[in-house]
Amino acid sequence: MQDKNNYNKIFTIPNFLSLIRIALIPVMFYLFRAKKFIETAVVLVVSAITDLADGFIARKFNMVSKLGKALDPIADKLTQGVVLLFLLQYFPYMLLPLSLLLVKEVLTGISQLIVLIKYDVVLGAVWHGKLTTAFLYSMAFLHIVWVDIPKVLSIVLVSVCLCLMVFSLIAYNVRNFRVIKNGKQSSNDLE
């Protein structure tokens, strides 16, 4: 059961780690623009590790907070969006996952905002969102360190990423609208 005192805390280690991820975005931007691809990839890996660490620490040490449930996906999506923007320079078809990311986050964000306003609850990430994030990071990492990746392999990776994103978009919104329709008391989706 969630400790209400911790749930409303702002200054937690997981929240600090999410802020570090946001602070790493301009570092990645600078490194990528300077064509320091390995260094960019290393910073992306550090960002991904802090993402894993903040979730683990939040759950293990009961530091899950309302702010953290909102800040963590913001840090993820900002990082993902900026990395996809970088990759557009070398892979114009990265516009597809970037556009889908924007659509997914706007639609999911609206439905989650309705849940927040109606029930004062921030719904957390679930397995399909985590899988999509992990695959997107892996696909981006591979494209950063292997800028001359064969086009067929690149397109296959981007296509798999797009399929995962579409599945996650549908699944999150089905969950959110089920909560909106049935109420927070009748849904297992609130944990």
Side-chain angles (χ1 to χ4, degrees), residues 164-179:
L164 289 170
M165 291 171 81
V166 167
F167 175 74
S168 188
L169 164 68
I170 293 167
Y172 271 129
N173 283 291
V174 165
R175 175 196 69 175
N176 296 348
F177 284 109
R178 186 178 337 126
V179 171

Side-chain angles (χ1 to χ4, degrees), residues 128-183:
H128 54 80
K130 293 175 183 182
L131 175 63
T132 302
T133 296
F135 192 86
L136 197 147
Y137 275 125
S138 301
M139 183 267 299
F141 175 85
L142 194 57
H143 281 81
I144 290 169
V145 297
W146 193 9
V147 178
D148 58 349
I149 187 172
K151 188 169 185 175
V152 172
L153 178 57
S154 176
I155 289 174
V156 166
L157 291 171
V158 170
S159 298
V160 171
C161 189
L162 288 168
C163 290
L164 289 170
M165 291 171 81
V166 167
F167 175 74
S168 188
L169 164 68
I170 293 167
Y172 271 129
N173 283 291
V174 165
R175 175 196 69 175
N176 296 348
F177 284 109
R178 186 178 337 126
V179 171
I180 292 166
K181 181 181 174 205
N182 297 330

Side-chain angles (χ1 to χ4, degrees), residues 74-95:
I74 289 170
D76 286 344
K77 301 321 167 200
L78 285 174
T79 301
Q80 292 167 14
V82 169
V83 169
L84 289 170
L85 273 173
F86 299 161
L87 292 173
L88 271 174
Q89 180 179 350
Y90 296 94
F91 309 98
Y93 46 88
M94 288 292 175
L95 186 58

Side-chain angles (χ1 to χ4, degrees), residues 14-170:
N15 292 349
F16 179 70
L17 291 172
S18 291
L19 291 173
I20 286 175
R21 285 206 320 278
I22 293 170
L24 288 175
I25 294 170
V27 175
M28 280 189 287
F29 179 77
Y30 168 78
L31 292 170
F32 192 85
R33 295 291 295 167
K35 298 187 180 198
K36 296 182 178 189
F37 301 125
I38 299 300
E39 293 86 344
T40 304
V42 168
V43 174
L44 182 61
V45 168
V46 169
S47 179
I49 290 170
T50 62
D51 185 20
L52 292 172
D54 83 27
F56 173 78
I57 292 167
R59 287 183 297 280
K60 178 79 174 172
F61 298 102
N62 195 24
M63 292 184 183
V64 174
S65 67
K66 191 183 290 189
L67 176 64
K69 279 186 163 186
L71 191 58
D72 178 62
I74 289 170
D76 286 344
K77 301 321 167 200
L78 285 174
T79 301
Q80 292 167 14
V82 169
V83 169
L84 289 170
L85 273 173
F86 299 161
L87 292 173
L88 271 174
Q89 180 179 350
Y90 296 94
F91 309 98
Y93 46 88
M94 288 292 175
L95 186 58
L96 291 171
L98 178 61
S99 299
L100 186 54
L101 179 70
L102 291 172
V103 168
K104 175 181 175 282
E105 294 315 311
V106 167
L107 292 178
T108 304
I110 289 169
S111 65
Q112 288 186 348
L113 183 62
I114 293 168
V115 171
L116 177 64
I117 291 168
K118 195 168 180 178
Y119 298 111
D120 193 33
V121 172
V122 179
L123 300 175
V126 293
W127 70 269
H128 54 80
K130 293 175 183 182
L131 175 63
T132 302
T133 296
F135 192 86
L136 197 147
Y137 275 125
S138 301
M139 183 267 299
F141 175 85
L142 194 57
H143 281 81
I144 290 169
V145 297
W146 193 9
V147 178
D148 58 349
I149 187 172
K151 188 169 185 175
V152 172
L153 178 57
S154 176
I155 289 174
V156 166
L157 291 171
V158 170
S159 298
V160 171
C161 189
L162 288 168
C163 290
L164 289 170
M165 291 171 81
V166 167
F167 175 74
S168 188
L169 164 68
I170 293 167

